[in-house]
Amino acid sequence: MMTLLQSQLPADVYQLLQAIAGNAYLTQAAVEAFLTSATVPTQYFSTIETAAKIAAMASTQDISYTLTIQNSANPQPNITFSVKRTDVLTDLALGISSNNTQTLQFGFANAENTITYDSSSIPGFNGPIFEAIVWVIAEGLYAQNLADLGKTGVPLPIMQDFQFDFGNAELSIQTGYVSILADVVYKSNLVTH
């Protein structure tokens, strides 16, 4: 996308877009908010939006965090937050897992987070002022877990004694699924050394 935009935009406008690379936006309004904040002239919005449109698969998670304060109180005090997080799958690839299973591997680009203070057993605790702080601390761990999940991948469904030939395989995101266009090889035809 960035290479295409570099050929379609004046150099000074293209420079304003450097922060967009690698970001995920779920709506046209979110893209336009970024472009406005980057001081991109509105006359270029349509060109940028057209180049940026791709089929994508989004994953939405509803996460509940309970922070328990480790002290001698019984029961131990706690604070509960909820996070609604939306990620876009990126970097689709075919791979082999540690147990020799063919897998679909992927990355995640975070598109949106909404943090909400839910409750606390601490009397008078002012939770809303801690919402963003809690997520800043917890997000790094959560993002690492997602990255590890994507590296491991998910096993590809295929009949016993067959496997995909990854040599010329093509992956594409369709509405509701990932399409894998690949030759299939019968395992008895494979030579192992």
Side-chain angles (χ1 to χ4, degrees), residues 132-143:
I133 295 169
V134 167
W135 186 239
V136 166
I137 294 167
E139 184 182 25
L141 296 171
Y142 190 78

Side-chain angles (χ1 to χ4, degrees), residues 87-147:
D87 295 286
V88 175
L89 272 69
T90 62
D91 305 322
L92 291 177
L94 297 172
I96 305 292
S97 70
S98 60
N99 66 356
N100 211 30
T101 302
Q102 290 186 311
T103 61
L104 173 65
Q105 298 169 346
F106 44 86
F108 291 95
N110 184 238
E112 194 171 76
N113 295 304
T114 304
I115 301 98
T116 306
Y117 164 73
D118 292 331
S119 65
S120 176
S121 63
I122 303 168
F125 181 76
N126 187 358
I129 64 171
F130 289 97
E131 288 174 345
I133 295 169
V134 167
W135 186 239
V136 166
I137 294 167
E139 184 182 25
L141 296 171
Y142 190 78
Q144 184 59 53
N145 284 333
L146 284 179

Side-chain angles (χ1 to χ4, degrees), residues 1-191:
M1 172 188 86
M2 295 303 286
T3 304
L4 174 64
L5 286 173
Q6 188 171 18
S7 68
Q8 294 180 337
L9 299 171
D12 60 328
V13 174
Y14 177 77
Q15 285 304 317
L16 296 172
L17 294 179
Q18 294 309 301
I20 202 171
N23 289 350
Y25 300 95
L26 299 177
T27 64
Q28 182 175 341
V31 173
E32 290 180 359
F34 166 78
L35 296 175
T36 300
S37 70
T39 66
V40 172
T42 57
Q43 71 196 56
Y44 299 109
F45 281 22
S46 177
T47 301
I48 296 164
E49 290 164 358
T50 299
K53 285 182 184 174
I54 59 167
M57 190 171 284
S59 170
T60 301
Q61 303 97 44
D62 292 311
I63 307 160
S64 179
Y65 280 104
T66 300
L67 303 175
T68 302
I69 299 169
Q70 303 286 319
N71 63 15
S72 59
N74 189 11
Q76 292 181 319
N78 65 61
I79 307 163
T80 305
F81 294 88
S82 297
V83 178
K84 186 171 187 86
R85 177 184 169 108
T86 304
D87 295 286
V88 175
L89 272 69
T90 62
D91 305 322
L92 291 177
L94 297 172
I96 305 292
S97 70
S98 60
N99 66 356
N100 211 30
T101 302
Q102 290 186 311
T103 61
L104 173 65
Q105 298 169 346
F106 44 86
F108 291 95
N110 184 238
E112 194 171 76
N113 295 304
T114 304
I115 301 98
T116 306
Y117 164 73
D118 292 331
S119 65
S120 176
S121 63
I122 303 168
F125 181 76
N126 187 358
I129 64 171
F130 289 97
E131 288 174 345
I133 295 169
V134 167
W135 186 239
V136 166
I137 294 167
E139 184 182 25
L141 296 171
Y142 190 78
Q144 184 59 53
N145 284 333
L146 284 179
D148 292 346
L149 173 67
K151 270 189 223 169
T152 300
V154 294
L156 295 172
I158 194 161
M159 294 178 1
Q160 186 175 349
D161 295 329
F162 288 88
Q163 71 180 33
F164 291 105
D165 178 4
F166 288 170
N168 295 311
E170 295 177 21
L171 299 173
S172 65
I173 295 176
Q174 305 297 317
T175 303
Y177 65 95
V178 175
S179 172
I180 302 171
L181 179 63
D183 289 335
V184 176
V185 178
Y186 184 64
K187 286 184 183 178
S188 70
N189 294 340
L190 300 176
V191 177

